[in-house]
Amino acid sequence: MTENEAKKRIDELRKALHYHNYRYYVLDDPIISDSEYDSLLIELKELEEKFPEFYDENSPTVKVGGKPLNKFDKVEHRIPMVSLDDGFSDNEIRDFDSKVKKFLGVSHNEVIDYSVEPKFDGLSIDLIYKNGKLEVASTRGDGFVGENVTQNVRTIKNVPLVLSLENPPVYIDVQGEVLLTKEEFNKINSERMEKGLQPFANPRNAAAGSIRQLDPKETAKRNLIMIMYYIRQIDGYGRKILTQHESLEVLKEIGFPISEYNELAHGIEKAIEYKKELEKIRDSLPYELDGVVIKVDRFDFQEKLGFTTKSPRWAIAFKFPAEQATTKILDIQVNVGRTGILTPVAILEPVNIGGVTVSRASLHTMDEIEKKDIMIGDTVFVQRAGDVIPEVVKPVKDLRDGTQRPFKMPDRCPVCGSKVIKDGAYYMCSNINCPSALKESIKHFVSRKAMNIDGFGDKIVEQLVDKGIVKDVSDIYTLDKETLMSLDRVGEKLAENLLTSIERSKGTTFAKFIYALGIRHVGEYVAKLLAERFRNLENLKESTKEKLLGINGIGEEIANSVVSFFSEKRNLDTIDKLLSYGVHFEDKKKEQSKISGNSFVFTGTLSKPRGYFKELVEKKGGIVRSSMSKNLDYLVVGDNPGSKLNRAESLGVKIINERELLKLLEE
Ligand code: IVH
């Protein structure tokens, strides 16, 4: 291939890939399959490697991240990035409406149209495109000067690097929010905890941490997304824009991802209703919202209203109640986990946080307690986010009255009385047979993401250990009906069901089996990595530290823990017993079924967590998506469905309930 031919092909491939990104990420309506997309991308990558002279920082191949930086440069915003005023009650929002009318000099009876939009709880980012190419991406900073994070923003999959338009605007400055989905946030946090790192308190902090990585390859791994909501300036674009809701349409037309929940509200009461509707479906959305933004729709009105020094007069954020609350620490108790680690837990005066009553919160480690300066009797901020256990954020020191007392780690294990030893930041029970650790490891072993033994609740585990019936996890497979019926509150029916669940759990996957073993620092994600790399138990047992460290995502701590687990005879014996009782794992090919290849979206509340249904669908070869498109096969509707239901109706998507889904899965 000559240089000229290569250049021509590279240009064609780049153009095609930018267009397919737009179909996929903005329109949610791809017209080629993932593997077709991949083959175009691979062809481009190979050509770019052979002809490095045609490097382009906006090539679709840069999504994996370029070279690391030493620091971020500063960017001065040509137009300051202001923030929004907040309102928390319906009346504050009505006051805002009155003020708008007064300022505009229109009668109180006049009805103002408002563009109503979700308020995304992420990180505000400004993007500037010149002649259709991404030029600079910057953080808000202090509103006047931000940081240049272009390299990192380039790795965000749904951010267009090049606008797929015949005549893109000559200049466009747009603002949007960088976010992490709750799923991605929980994944990052479990990886962090497996590595012994402090989890992020909420998706917002995690997104901010991800965008401020000096190495763009790290940012690329975080799977951030961006949603745009504001055109700050646009020059040289054919279409005249008169309102905010039109400008959102224009954003989409130009190739930017926007929210599917934007609406136009005729009058402030409709805007208040919109907030209530969105609040209902808030938990079922894939990312976090902290309220809605209400914007005067007409641009001529916006211009008249203008800005104060810190915010526009034409918009207000109507915030949802915070997922944070203050309460009192009544006591600090110590839990003994399955690896024998002692974890301090705050016993709280029960408090409602975002609709959930919280009465316990993790304090992680003694170091954390000292660092945050937390005392028993303190009034504290408590926060809840995603699947993370509620966390004590910090004490309100002003409210101390002398009755507070410091917490001290016990010298003896609160469960078995053995000596407590210190291992780095951790305090551990020195007794490897500590019954508490055994109970926890059994609870972990039977849990849904591990061996998934349905109905094997905590009360049963406690009794089995206390009575000395189960001495290690393999003893579960020796249980018979009579023994089970000798336990409190276990009748014949329950005993039979338990035995069926136990029997069924014997066939599992290698990854779940590894996870179930409860190796320290090996969570669900690392277990999957190990299963993929080693394929079978023999290989895994013989793995060395060097081999383990060769796996991307596995560090020193995990490697040491895996090696030490398999060097312990007691653990090897347990594994042998499990296998001899019939536990087996083949990573079966995905089952062929009626729903193979069909796509599903969930909305509303179902009888079990979404993850449960997702797993069932995927096991049968179905695909679970988070957003609607006309190619979607099924919308599964639970209680209080969101606006997806209306969209499904208008798109002609098949709508089913949970019972119908289960029936489909059986076929
Ligand atoms: S409009 C001039 N719309 O909320 C007005 N902001 O608390 C520009 N935010 O700094 C902002 N969702 O980071 C707007 N739909 C939305 C938003 C939104 C989230 C953020 C943005 C802003 C902050 C203010």
Side-chain angles (χ1 to χ4, degrees):
M1 192 182 263
T2 67
E3 278 216 338
N4 276 343
E5 284 163 350
K7 177 76 175 76
K8 190 163 161 268
R9 183 66 184 153
I10 286 175
D11 284 345
E12 277 168 10
L13 287 166
R14 284 178 182 162
K15 193 162 167 219
L17 286 161
H18 285 308
Y19 177 67
H20 292 304
N21 282 336
Y22 167 68
R23 302 278 328 186
Y24 187 90
Y25 291 111
V26 180
L27 302 184
D28 200 1
D29 187 18
I31 46 172
I32 58 173
S33 69
D34 289 357
S35 63
E36 283 162 342
Y37 180 91
D38 287 344
S39 62
L40 294 177
L41 193 67
I42 290 167
E43 186 185 344
L44 177 59
K45 255 191 207 157
E46 286 173 358
L47 278 175
E48 286 181 352
E49 270 161 30
K50 254 195 227 155
F51 297 92
E53 60 273 37
F54 300 131
Y55 172 80
D56 180 343
E57 59 184 5
N58 284 323
S59 168
T61 54
V62 309
K63 293 283 177 192
V64 292
K67 290 202 177 66
L69 296 173
N70 292 323
K71 65 171 185 49
F72 297 109
D73 289 335
K74 299 267 177 262
V75 178
E76 199 165 327
H77 299 304
R78 276 177 40 181
I79 309 169
M81 288 179 79
V82 294
S83 68
L84 296 173
D85 284 344
D86 282 346
F88 290 89
S89 68
D90 296 2
N91 282 340
E92 280 173 272
I93 300 306
R94 293 187 184 114
D95 282 351
F96 161 75
D97 180 60
S98 306
K99 275 195 211 141
V100 164
K101 287 175 184 161
K102 204 164 153 209
F103 204 98
L104 292 173
V106 302
S107 137
H108 196 72
N109 300 328
E110 191 92 21
V111 177
I112 306 274
D113 280 340
Y114 290 103
S115 173
V116 285
E117 306 163 18
K119 181 169 184 325
F120 302 102
D121 195 10
L123 191 74
S124 188
I125 295 284
D126 178 51
L127 305 179
I128 293 176
Y129 289 76
K130 289 189 187 151
N131 298 317
K133 282 191 181 172
L134 175 61
E135 200 53 41
V136 186
S138 54
T139 61
R140 193 173 96 89
D142 62 5
F144 300 99
V145 179
E147 281 178 321
N148 186 331
V149 288
T150 317
Q151 280 221 74
N152 289 345
V153 170
R154 278 191 214 285
T155 69
I156 301 177
K157 297 203 182 62
N158 71 346
V159 170
L161 301 170
V162 169
L163 303 174
S164 295
L165 279 183
E166 276 297 310
N167 293 307
V170 176
Y171 181 93
I172 179 167
D173 177 344
V174 287
Q175 184 179 338
E177 205 83 352
V178 167
L179 305 166
L180 271 173
T181 60
K182 294 177 199 167
E183 190 178 345
E184 204 56 41
F185 166 70
N186 288 326
K187 196 177 115 201
I188 293 174
N189 263 353
S190 40
E191 282 170 39
R192 287 179 71 84
M193 288 191 275
E194 281 164 26
K195 288 182 188 157
L197 296 170
Q198 187 71 23
F200 287 115
N202 53 49
R204 206 199 105 77
N205 289 3
S210 307
I211 215 70
R212 296 199 74 263
Q213 294 285 330
L214 287 167
D215 183 355
K217 289 201 174 58
E218 288 304 313
T219 308
K221 284 187 208 152
R222 299 283 174 91
N223 288 325
L224 294 161
I225 54 166
M226 189 161 179
I227 298 182
M228 314 306 298
Y229 44 71
Y230 185 46
I231 301 183
R232 285 156 49 80
Q233 186 182 337
I234 181 164
D235 301 326
Y237 190 59
R239 182 170 162 184
K240 192 130 191 71
I241 315 170
L242 299 173
T243 60
Q244 166 66 10
H245 82 271
E246 269 173 35
S247 78
L248 292 168
E249 278 165 30
V250 167
L251 279 172
K252 183 164 179 177
E253 174 180 295
I254 292 180
F256 293 105
I258 60 167
S259 167
E260 55 178 309
Y261 295 100
N262 297 330
E263 278 180 28
L264 186 63
H266 188 55
I268 203 68
E269 294 306 321
K270 285 274 184 317
I272 294 173
E273 253 170 57
Y274 169 81
K275 180 251 184 184
K276 296 204 166 118
E277 288 304 310
L278 213 57
E279 199 169 356
K280 277 192 211 149
I281 59 162
R282 169 186 191 190
D283 284 340
S284 68
L285 295 182
Y287 34 71
E288 292 215 327
L289 306 183
D290 58 345
V292 304
V293 184
I294 302 175
K295 304 175 183 171
V296 171
D297 194 43
R298 274 173 57 172
F299 281 170
D300 56 341
F301 283 173
Q302 286 194 6
E303 238 160 78
K304 271 196 198 153
L305 286 155
F307 291 78
T308 67
T309 43
K310 61 180 234 328
S311 52
R313 284 195 197 87
W314 43 262
I316 190 163
F318 192 178
K319 299 282 277 282
F320 295 146
E323 305 245 294
Q324 214 185 51
T326 51
T327 186
K328 216 167 161 176
I329 299 190
L330 303 175
D331 193 10
I332 295 180
Q333 294 180 354
V334 172
N335 253 6
V336 187
R338 64 170 200 273
T339 43
I341 294 179
L342 273 58
T343 314
V345 179
I347 308 300
L348 306 169
E349 204 163 284
V351 59
N352 186 305
I353 311 182
V356 177
T357 304
V358 173
S359 51
R360 297 160 75 83
S362 171
L363 294 163
H364 305 295
T365 60
M366 190 65 208
D367 281 1
E368 273 293 303
I369 297 181
E370 283 166 3
K371 208 165 77 197
K372 292 181 179 167
D373 187 13
I374 292 169
M375 292 168 82
I376 299 170
D378 263 338
T379 298
V380 288
F381 286 109
V382 178
Q383 129 173 317
R384 198 172 73 83
D387 285 350
V388 185
I389 307 160
E391 180 186 48
V392 174
V393 184
K394 63 174 180 191
V396 188
K397 290 190 198 164
D398 296 346
L399 291 179
R400 284 190 180 157
D401 58 5
T403 61
Q404 285 70 22
R405 59 198 161 86
F407 164 77
K408 208 177 138 285
M409 269 289 183
D411 303 330
R412 300 256 157 205
C413 170
V415 176
C416 71
S418 306
K419 224 171 139 15
V420 168
I421 49 173
K422 194 159 188 258
D423 175 7
Y426 297 101
Y427 288 78
M428 303 183 67
C429 171
S430 55
N431 173 11
I432 48 166
N433 293 316
C434 174
S436 177
L438 177 59
K439 284 178 190 170
E440 292 307 313
S441 57
I442 295 171
K443 287 178 196 168
H444 172 79
F445 185 83
V446 301
S447 65
R448 191 171 62 76
K449 290 177 179 171
M451 299 302 279
N452 192 15
I453 307 186
D454 211 19
F456 215 99
D458 291 359
K459 288 272 176 310
I460 293 176
V461 175
E462 312 256 329
Q463 293 186 60
L464 288 171
V465 175
D466 290 342
K467 294 189 174 178
I469 301 170
V470 169
K471 296 196 184 63
D472 76 41
V473 292
S474 70
D475 292 336
I476 292 172
Y477 293 98
T478 64
L479 292 171
D480 57 27
K481 194 158 138 187
E482 206 179 319
T483 315
L484 284 168
M485 283 175 65
S486 75
L487 304 178
D488 254 5
R489 285 198 272 174
V490 180
E492 185 163 0
K493 185 89 194 113
L494 180 55
E496 279 169 5
N497 287 346
L498 275 170
L499 287 175
T500 314
S501 305
I502 292 172
E503 194 53 40
R504 203 172 41 212
S505 76
K506 287 182 181 171
T508 183
T509 65
F510 189 32
K512 288 192 175 199
F513 180 77
I514 299 172
Y515 174 67
L517 292 175
I519 307 168
R520 197 167 162 202
H521 303 308
V522 177
E524 212 189 347
Y525 174 72
V526 174
K528 273 188 193 152
L529 292 180
L530 293 174
E532 266 164 34
R533 168 70 178 74
F534 293 105
R535 301 273 163 197
N536 62 45
L537 250 182
E538 288 320 303
N539 292 340
L540 179 61
K541 277 190 202 162
E542 280 155 25
S543 66
T544 57
K545 195 171 159 185
E546 288 65 41
K547 274 192 198 160
L548 288 159
L549 286 174
I551 303 174
N552 199 354
I554 293 192
E556 191 86 9
E557 211 164 15
I558 302 174
N560 285 338
S561 168
V562 172
V563 171
S564 105
F565 183 89
F566 288 105
S567 65
E568 238 190 88
K569 180 162 180 313
R570 211 162 56 99
N571 295 331
L572 297 176
D573 288 347
T574 303
I575 293 175
D576 285 344
K577 278 197 274 173
L578 284 169
L579 301 180
S580 74
Y581 296 142
V583 172
H584 60 281
F585 31 84
E586 280 159 74
D587 267 303
K588 283 184 260 144
K589 288 255 172 314
K590 280 191 186 136
E591 292 172 38
Q592 275 298 319
S593 73
K594 190 162 170 241
I595 63 146
S596 288
N598 286 354
S599 53
F600 293 76
V601 165
F602 294 100
T603 182
T605 316
L606 303 169
S607 68
K608 291 203 174 74
R610 293 246 172 116
Y612 171 85
F613 293 101
K614 182 165 187 258
E615 209 166 286
L616 287 183
V617 167
E618 286 174 351
K619 213 167 139 207
K620 295 273 183 178
I623 304 151
V624 175
R625 296 199 192 283
S626 56
S627 59
M628 307 283 306
S629 78
K630 63 172 182 289
N631 294 333
L632 182 73
D633 295 301
Y634 295 97
L635 177 73
V636 185
V637 180
D639 289 342
N640 297 323
S643 64
K644 283 185 177 147
L645 184 54
N646 292 338
R647 279 211 68 197
E649 278 163 359
S650 63
L651 291 170
V653 167
K654 204 178 264 166
I655 298 166
I656 58 172
N657 61 24
E658 184 178 322
R659 201 170 32 82
E660 290 164 321
L661 171 69
L662 293 174
K663 207 160 153 253
L664 254 185
L665 293 169
E666 273 170 20
E667 282 174 15

